[in-house]
Amino acid sequence: MFARAFGADPLYVWIFPDERARRSRLPRLFAAQLRAARRGRDEIDVLTTGAQILGCAVWSPPGAVHPTPGQQLTVLTSFPAILGRRIPVALGSFNAIGRARPAEPHRYLSTIGVDPSAQRTGVAKALLRPRLAQCDEDRIPVALVTGEESNVSYYESLGFAVTGQAELPGGGPAQWTMWRKPRE
């Protein structure tokens, strides 16, 4: 589902400019990222209808600014086979995005994706609202990075504000860093 959701995302088009390679490698890349998330303290929210996954969100808890050693090992052992000669571009991009995260404690929305067949139907809000409400209750800010300019106004409607842009090495696509203070 993530591979379909991010098939035209500027970051992944930058990492895998060849469409055939992107279609082949994104499922394995996201599988590795989900395995890594499960090895850490990340939490995964999934919205389904029957057997179909409509959307998924991966959240890192406050204080988890860097991946755990287990998460790093999971990703790094699988990345060479998945990324091939694009590994410098991918690692440079992922590291730049990681460095753009704020230093103060926050919950981090590391990935959210909605199956293209279910986009613009409320799936993303259904995934986001419970976590955002819990962050409000716990007085925890939320951070995210998006590479889709059209997503900026969507996140702003949920209380996020743009705080800057992550500069990807080699002239990669813009990545907007966003922050949401807890609501009263």
Side-chain angles (χ1 to χ4, degrees):
M1 187 281 308
F2 274 145
R4 289 188 304 276
F6 288 96
D9 183 273
L11 174 64
Y12 296 103
V13 171
W14 169 249
I15 293 171
F16 299 117
D18 179 76
E19 186 176 347
R20 181 180 293 157
R22 192 166 54 253
R23 277 193 315 245
S24 158
R25 293 170 187 251
L26 278 183
R28 294 185 292 153
L29 179 65
F30 282 111
Q33 290 177 338
L34 286 168
R35 280 193 308 275
R38 288 194 347 246
R39 287 199 71 178
R41 297 181 340 199
D42 292 4
E43 296 167 334
I44 301 171
D45 297 329
V46 180
L47 187 65
T48 63
T49 181
Q52 181 186 5
I53 296 174
L54 299 176
C56 182
V58 180
W59 299 86
S60 297
V65 177
H66 302 289
T68 67
Q71 287 175 305
Q72 290 177 12
L73 183 62
T74 298
V75 170
L76 292 177
T77 57
S78 59
F79 268 16
I82 297 168
L83 298 169
R85 63 181 223 262
R86 298 300 291 172
I87 200 164
V89 173
L91 290 181
S93 298
F94 295 150
N95 287 334
I97 291 168
R99 285 190 304 273
R101 286 183 60 182
E104 70 181 274
H106 62 279
R107 183 167 290 279
Y108 184 65
L109 178 59
S110 65
T111 308
I112 184 169
V114 175
D115 192 272
S117 67
Q119 289 177 358
R120 302 197 181 355
T121 65
V123 171
K125 277 190 180 158
L127 284 166
L128 291 169
R129 281 197 171 137
R131 288 277 179 195
L132 295 178
Q134 187 64 53
C135 288
D136 291 343
E137 186 177 314
D138 296 341
R139 310 296 307 145
I140 297 171
V142 180
L144 63 82
V145 176
T146 184
E148 290 277 356
E149 188 170 10
S150 62
N151 288 345
V152 170
S153 61
Y154 174 77
Y155 289 121
E156 287 173 336
S157 76
L158 297 171
F160 287 87
V162 173
T163 57
Q165 282 191 324
E167 296 294 325
L168 302 189
Q175 301 291 305
W176 289 267
T177 58
M178 302 190 77
W179 182 258
R180 182 183 183 273
K181 294 179 183 176
R183 291 182 173 173
E184 298 292 323

